[in-house]
Amino acid sequence: MQITSIIGNYTYSKPLAETAEILKKRFKGKVVMTNHFCQRHQAYTAKQLDEMEKDVSASDIIFLAMVFDEAVLKILERYATEGKTFVILASVGDGMKMARLGKFCVGEVISSFADSKVAKVFKLLKGLTGKSSPMEVRKMLGMADAILKVLQFGKWKDAYNYVQAWKYFFHGGGENILNMFLMVLAEYHGFKTTYQPPAEVPASYIAHPRSDTIFTSVDEYLKWYDLPDWMKTNGSNKKKKPLVGLLFYSDRYRNEDSRDLAMVIDKLEGQGIGVVPSMSTGAENFTSMKKFFAGNGKPRVDAIISFLYFRIEGGPLGGNYEAFEELCRQMNVPLINYVSMGYSTIDDWRERDEGLYPMETNLCTILPELDGLIEGVLIAGGTEPSKKGRNIVRVMEPLEERVDHAVVRTRNWLKLKFKANKDKKVAFILFNYPPGKDTLGSAGNLATFDSLIKLLDRMREEGYTVSGYPRTRHEFIRLITKKNVVNQGNWTSLARLKESSFKVSLTDYSNWFSLLPEKCRKEMVANWGDPPGSLMADEEYLYVPGLQFGNIFIGFQPAR
């Protein structure tokens, strides 16, 4: 007995590889399973297609999910009339029509029973081409399950089992994937074995690597959760235990493709920062935020980290974006983007000068930025499999030094949140190119200094330490030119700038420079010479022109 699975998502590679080993061992080599993977919406290579056709031609059971490649579907078409079991989930319409389990075939039901309620259900299932949202999938599976549960005879029993296959795969996890194949072997290929029904998980839930419990209430979770040492907070919040909400994909967590999440949690907790890890299927992200991260319009967490692609709410799958914006305004916490590669392996990314593929940049960075997510630090990527072709296990591997960097920045956002406004130090960097007095703050003809004065006024009202700043645009420019607080221009000598500039010693700068990656240092030296260079520097110092008003620094775009 041979099984071939063809999957357009490496997230399932680990449970499928484990299932292949369990089936081989349990049935003493009488069941052999091979797996073929590629990223969804990416074409298979000619070599992969050749290997796939050999496996399909020799197989009794073909399982296909999240595959839309026409070349793959043509292979299946060539063997669709040979009595093989075709468990096809989430494909284009022509692919779904080939789904066959026992006496049940999706295509035949749709054409023969066009007006029946059952056919309408399967017409919906046929249309699951990957564009339907997880909420729609969950709803349609529930409809089909309820109707077919009472029709336990003939082809409708097989139709019911087909829906169960959907549920096994949709809810994911190693046990569900194994039981799906055990069900097919027991019910349709004469194997004497038992299997369990699909283990369903909620649309959104809280899960932590240290617990086997699925939490559906944040209060229930927080009764269980604690840390030995919490990050110290300041002022009126000094007893506050800082919490960060995490948005993560349920299918990745269920299928044990969550090493990046586990490392982030470990590093955050190591900094004394608690976590509320929320799992959902993607379309329920906004629901998860409302349910787990907010209460009565107020935040339960002090920041939110998203591991998600696309937008949190809205976009092609729809949703209530205005409500999402309103929730974000009410919560008023940082939304931080932790980026995982969508298609690249870590080795690919390191070798390419451009880093991520353009599509990855769009999915992982640009679209999240439209929701106001900040940072966008890359923290994980796919591992390069040790072998090519069949049975690849590819998981998301964290890049520890980048996780450390992202976590430290998240900690700094929290420290800033808990710091009193009077103690915060803020720098404004104004446009100044080409360097010199005639381009001070001339950013696209905007009223730069008038805007700056209004900002400083508001900051003073909010308790920031700021005073002594000019009250008009002309006073600001007069102060700057009088003190020669500008970047060195062709007609402004460095000697005149030294007295009114802030100084950075060459020793300090050299220490900072040494912390940069070697490749970066070499490129800087090749382009600009040995540090500190010749711009705004001499043998002892680098000079930074600017004005200070209390804890507020106003500087200018560096010369280059």
Side-chain angles (χ1 to χ4, degrees), residues 188-432:
Y188 301 100
H189 294 277
F191 281 77
K192 294 182 179 180
T193 187
T194 59
Y195 58 90
Q196 299 300 315
E200 299 186 38
V201 295
S204 59
Y205 56 94
I206 298 173
H208 192 287
R210 292 201 304 271
S211 174
D212 294 328
T213 302
I214 288 178
F215 299 93
T216 56
S217 157
V218 68
D219 292 325
E220 175 190 1
Y221 171 75
L222 292 176
K223 286 179 183 177
W224 167 81
Y225 186 75
D226 199 6
L227 292 179
D229 296 298
W230 290 84
M231 185 181 94
K232 290 181 172 58
T233 54
N234 300 317
S236 60
N237 293 305
K238 61 184 178 181
K239 294 184 179 180
K240 164 78 175 174
K241 294 180 178 180
L243 286 173
V244 171
L246 308 177
L247 290 171
F248 197 79
Y249 286 112
S250 178
D251 61 348
R252 284 192 57 201
Y253 189 78
R254 294 276 296 160
N255 292 312
E256 299 180 48
D257 185 16
S258 55
R259 294 182 189 177
D260 49 342
L261 173 68
M263 180 176 285
V264 166
I265 288 174
D266 184 62
K267 300 285 187 178
L268 285 169
E269 292 179 339
Q271 296 282 347
I273 300 167
V275 296
V276 183
S278 168
M279 313 297 164
S280 68
T281 52
E284 291 90 356
N285 301 319
F286 177 43
T287 302
S288 296
M289 287 177 62
K290 290 189 294 183
K291 184 177 180 181
F292 301 131
F293 301 159
N296 298 320
K298 296 181 179 179
R300 287 178 174 266
V301 297
D302 303 296
I304 295 172
I305 294 172
S306 172
F307 291 76
L308 309 177
Y309 306 130
F310 301 99
R311 304 187 71 170
I312 292 177
E313 179 77 355
L317 296 180
N320 189 341
Y321 193 75
E322 290 75 16
F324 167 74
E325 284 186 318
E326 181 57 30
L327 178 67
C328 290
R329 275 193 290 269
Q330 291 173 359
M331 293 185 69
N332 192 28
V333 300
L335 293 173
I336 301 171
N337 184 20
Y338 278 22
V339 177
S340 298
M341 299 174 202
Y343 301 115
S344 301
T345 64
I346 292 173
D347 289 341
D348 291 339
W349 166 72
R350 282 181 170 144
E351 290 173 5
R352 286 197 308 270
D353 289 338
E354 66 272 26
L356 298 178
Y357 288 115
M359 178 62 76
E360 288 177 299
T361 301
N362 185 38
L363 300 182
C364 305
T365 305
I366 296 173
L367 290 177
E369 283 183 357
L370 295 178
D371 283 340
L373 271 70
I374 57 176
E375 296 290 321
V377 177
L378 180 69
I379 58 112
T383 54
E384 183 66 37
S386 58
K387 57 182 179 179
K388 305 290 185 181
R390 302 171 174 89
N391 300 317
I392 292 172
V393 175
R394 174 171 159 178
V395 295
M396 200 68 73
E397 192 70 35
L399 297 157
E400 187 167 7
E401 72 281 5
R402 299 184 72 85
V403 172
D404 286 334
H405 176 67
V407 166
V408 166
R409 290 191 62 82
T410 299
R411 181 197 65 190
N412 289 342
W413 278 108
L414 295 177
K415 288 172 67 177
L416 184 64
K417 175 183 176 68
F418 295 123
K419 180 177 285 190
N421 284 349
K422 67 181 181 63
D423 297 323
K424 293 176 181 175
K425 297 178 180 179
V426 181
F428 291 94
I429 309 301
L430 306 186
F431 182 87
N432 185 208

Side-chain angles (χ1 to χ4, degrees), residues 11 15 30 63 78 93-94 96 146 161 180 184 204 211 216 251 275 280 373 386 404 428 463 483 508 518:
T11 291
K30 293 180 180 179
F63 174 71
R78 290 196 280 272
D94 289 341
M96 297 295 293
N161 287 337
M180 177 180 67
V184 174
S204 59
S211 174
T216 56
D251 61 348
V275 296
S280 68
L373 271 70
S386 58
D404 286 334
F428 291 94
K483 288 180 171 290
D508 286 342
E518 182 180 3

